[in-house]
Structure formats: structure tokens, C-alpha cells
Amino acid sequence: MKALRSVPLLALLALTSCGIPATGVVQAGGPASGTLPLTPVYFVENGALVAMPRTTERPGDPEAALRLLMAGPLEGEGSLGGLLTEVPGPATSAPLPTATADAPGQPSSDAPTVTVEGSTMTIGLPPGMDRLSDTGVRQMICTAAAAYRLTRPSDATVTAEVTDGGGWRVTASDEGCPER
């Protein structure tokens, strides 16, 4: 008996759907998007490292994060805002053969190279950028390791070796990097 009662309901539903044309795909703007990907970049404030979020097109890429570091603090964060860097960018390092006039806060095109094997990272400084201060090395290691961990979370310590073309090298880990 219950089956007979549902027949009129099904007929009513079939009739009400008649006359509704199929529209297909309707173009109505760009694709849906969420928040922009961010990567932490470590600057110096009152002698201590602090992580500042930066928009990136390549989350999880240590080289992209180091280009953002070399660009320096954004306008308003620098001398007025108290953020500093001990990592020279193209404007503050010795002239590079391929140096570009990057704007403050914009990624540098003369960035270090990064290779990773397991939990060991090698950061090669670009030509013309020589030895860094201890703070500059920490900025590089913390920035590169934090970017790497964005897409590869792990409890394992990342060990990094920072080198220049002249034989200088410093090895340290991301232990002790401030939380992002």
C-alpha cells in the first residue's frame, strides 16, 4: 500500500522537472581560490630572529624563501619598523655579474641554491656573496628549513651547510629557530 502512495508523488516530481532547460557550463569569473600561500622568512628584531610571513608562489621551496629573505624587510618594516637583516641582497652585496635592481620586499633573482638529501640541506651562496655573520647564517638556515617543512612536516632536525665559492662553510641545524 505504501508503494501505491509514492506513485503520485513520483509522477508529480517528473512533471515539475519538465521545461527546465539544461544550461551546461556557465563562465562566471575565475577559478575559486583560497588564501595566498605564505612562507616564514626570518629577520632580526632587537638582536633576535623573528619569523615574518611572506606571500609566495612556491610554498615549500627553500630557494624561493631565500630570495624573499634577500629582498629584505618590506617597506615600513625596516628602519622604522625595527626589522633588519644580516643577509645581503643584490643592493647591499658586492656587485654581481647578473645582479638586478630588485625592489625592497621583492624576491631577489640572485638567490642561493639549495639541495636536500634526506634531512641534510646544502645552501650555496651566489657569486659575490661571501661569508655571512653568525646571525646571517641563522637567518638563512631558519628560513630555508621552515620553507622546506611547509610541505614536508617532520620532527627530524634539518641540518644545513652554508657554503660560498671560496671554500668557506658553516654547518648548523634548525634547532633553536624561533617558532613561526
Side-chain angles (χ1 to χ4, degrees), residues 90-117:
T92 57
S93 62
L96 301 175
T98 59
T100 59
D102 296 320
Q106 295 300 309
S108 167
S109 56
D110 300 312
T113 57
V114 179
T115 56
V116 181
E117 288 186 29

Side-chain angles (χ1 to χ4, degrees), residues 69-73 84-96 99-102 104 108 110 127-132:
L69 173 62
M70 289 178 63
L84 307 169
T85 183
E86 292 196 18
V87 175
T92 57
S93 62
L96 301 175
T100 59
D102 296 320
S108 167
D110 300 312
M129 184 186 289
D130 296 326
R131 301 169 188 225
L132 297 174

Side-chain angles (χ1 to χ4, degrees), residues 9 37 50 56 85 99 109 117 120 129 140 145 150 158 164 169 173:
L9 180 60
V50 293
T56 182
T85 183
S109 56
E117 288 186 29
T120 303
M129 184 186 289
M140 286 204 138
L150 284 176
V158 174
D164 71 1
R169 67 184 63 240
S173 75

Side-chain angles (χ1 to χ4, degrees), residues 21 37 43 125:
F43 293 105
L125 300 179

Side-chain angles (χ1 to χ4, degrees), residues 44-163:
V44 182
E45 183 177 49
N46 297 323
L49 292 186
V50 293
M52 298 299 295
R54 292 290 185 262
T55 303
T56 182
E57 292 180 9
R58 298 170 57 189
D61 183 346
E63 287 182 14
L66 291 175
R67 280 193 295 277
L68 292 167
L69 173 62
M70 289 178 63
L74 298 175
E75 193 172 316
E77 290 178 341
S79 59
L80 298 176
L83 289 183
L84 307 169
T85 183
E86 292 196 18
V87 175
T92 57
S93 62
L96 301 175
T98 59
T100 59
D102 296 320
Q106 295 300 309
S108 167
S109 56
D110 300 312
T113 57
V114 179
T115 56
V116 181
E117 288 186 29
S119 63
T120 303
M121 181 179 294
T122 302
I123 302 170
L125 300 179
M129 184 186 289
D130 296 326
R131 301 169 188 225
L132 297 174
S133 67
D134 290 343
T135 301
V137 168
R138 295 296 305 153
Q139 281 184 265
M140 286 204 138
I141 290 172
C142 291
T143 297
Y148 180 77
R149 287 179 184 277
L150 284 176
T151 55
R152 299 165 203 87
S154 169
D155 290 338
T157 300
V158 174
T159 300
E161 181 178 74
V162 180
T163 65

